[in-house]
Amino acid sequence: GEDVEQSLFLSVREGDSSVINCTYTDSSSTYLYWYKQEPGAGLQLLTYIFSNMDMKQDQRLTVLLNKKDKHLSLRIADTQTGDSAIYFCAVPRKGYQKVTFGTGTKLQVIP
Amino acid sequence: NAGVTQTPKFQVLKTGQSMTLQCAQDMNHNSMYWYRQDPGMGLRLIYYSASEGTTDKGEVPNGYNVSRLNKREFSLRLESAAPSQTSVYFCASSGLAGAALHTQYFGPGTRLTVL
């Protein structure tokens, strides 16, 4: 099966950039995803990248994809306290309408 | 348009009791999912339903049953609750094409404690 790994915790100061990393073992997907979970809530899609792209920028968010190394990252520029949340990468599985979620990275933003 | 709704939001059970978690979506999605979330373990798929009338096991189905009542509703049943089932349960649904094929929309979760 698919393994999706993330570090569990990241702490940054307000205004700095945050980089959240994700590695996966296999993917046949055309898309890879980042979800955000705020305290006490369900996950919400944050952004996604098409698998033939290396980079996608969306306002303060930059997604980088290295298919050779099976490495996905999410960069948040000018991190704000409102960005404090758990971030999950998600990699769809072969042949099914299912995804494997990473373990989640809890981002703490220090004022 | 409420998206994905779940009831109840919180529940405390004693070991051996049974209960059903309810989930409904109003986005006309074919696929629905039940996950559990435990600290440090991410989301684990319990069961999913690719379309009305079909259900399949996920990674951690033991101790659970599901019913896809119609296109909108997908319920999760614990027949005899155990402390190991203490968790946060999320229902999700997904649509048909492009990025939407794998984009999942989540409910707010049910926080279950089994004593």
Side-chain angles (χ1 to χ4, degrees), chain B residues 13-26:
Chain B
L13 293 177
K14 294 181 180 177
T15 297
Q17 287 185 316
S18 62
M19 79 161 296
T20 299
L21 282 65
Q22 306 287 352
C23 174
Q25 52 92 9
D26 61 4

Side-chain angles (χ1 to χ4, degrees), chain B residues 54-92:
Chain B
T54 68
T55 61
D56 284 287
K57 295 178 181 179
E59 305 166 63
V60 289
N62 291 344
Y64 305 95
N65 284 301
V66 290
S67 296
R68 183 75 182 266
L69 303 169
N70 47 55
K71 193 170 186 179
R72 290 188 64 248
E73 298 172 287
F74 189 38
S75 62
L76 178 72
R77 182 159 178 86
L78 286 71
E79 290 291 351
S80 179
S84 60
Q85 294 177 305
T86 294
S87 188
V88 181
Y89 291 85
F90 289 100
C91 177

Side-chain angles (χ1 to χ4, degrees), chain A residues 64-76:
Chain A
L64 296 177
L65 175 60
N66 182 327
K67 285 188 72 176
K68 176 175 170 290
D69 293 338
K70 293 188 168 66
H71 184 267
L72 183 70
S73 68
L74 173 70
R75 179 178 181 268
I76 306 172

Side-chain angles (χ1 to χ4, degrees), chain A residues 8 29 31 33 35 37 40-43 45 48 88 92-93 96-99 101-103, chain B residues 31 33 35 37 40 42-43 45 48 59 90 95 98-99 101-104 106-108 111:
Chain A
L8 289 179
S29 172
Y31 297 93
Y33 299 82
Y35 285 79
Q37 183 183 30
L43 281 68
L45 182 69
Y48 61 90
F88 293 87
R93 302 182 195 177
Y96 301 94
Q97 287 189 27
K98 296 186 291 183
V99 299
F101 287 88
T103 47
Chain B
S31 299
Y33 312 83
Y35 294 92
Q37 183 179 23
L43 287 171
L45 182 66
Y48 73 102
E59 305 166 63
F90 289 100
L101 178 63
H102 296 300
T103 300
Q104 298 194 7
F106 284 79
R111 282 144 187 84

Side-chain angles (χ1 to χ4, degrees), chain A:
Chain A
E2 178 76 70
D3 285 328
V4 183
E5 302 272 344
Q6 297 179 241
S7 54
L8 289 179
F9 191 74
L10 176 66
S11 180
V12 299
R13 293 208 172 273
E14 191 173 18
D16 287 351
S17 292
S18 308
V19 179
I20 300 169
N21 294 302
C22 172
T23 57
Y24 56 95
T25 55
D26 193 18
S27 173
S28 65
S29 172
T30 54
Y31 297 93
L32 296 96
Y33 299 82
W34 284 102
Y35 285 79
K36 178 181 180 182
Q37 183 183 30
E38 297 189 349
L43 281 68
Q44 282 192 300
L45 182 69
L46 187 63
T47 188
Y48 61 90
I49 187 166
F50 191 55
S51 60
N52 70 352
M53 298 169 67
D54 298 325
M55 183 179 82
K56 177 183 177 182
Q57 188 142 7
D58 183 0
Q59 299 183 335
R60 292 190 297 118
L61 305 178
T62 303
V63 179
L64 296 177
L65 175 60
N66 182 327
K67 285 188 72 176
K68 176 175 170 290
D69 293 338
K70 293 188 168 66
H71 184 267
L72 183 70
S73 68
L74 173 70
R75 179 178 181 268
I76 306 172
D78 186 26
T79 311
Q80 303 297 307
T81 54
D83 295 323
S84 293
I86 302 176
Y87 292 82
F88 293 87
C89 62
V91 178
R93 302 182 195 177
K94 285 179 182 175
Y96 301 94
Q97 287 189 27
K98 296 186 291 183
V99 299
T100 299
F101 287 88
T103 47
T105 299
K106 185 171 184 177
L107 175 64
Q108 178 187 49
V109 182
I110 304 165

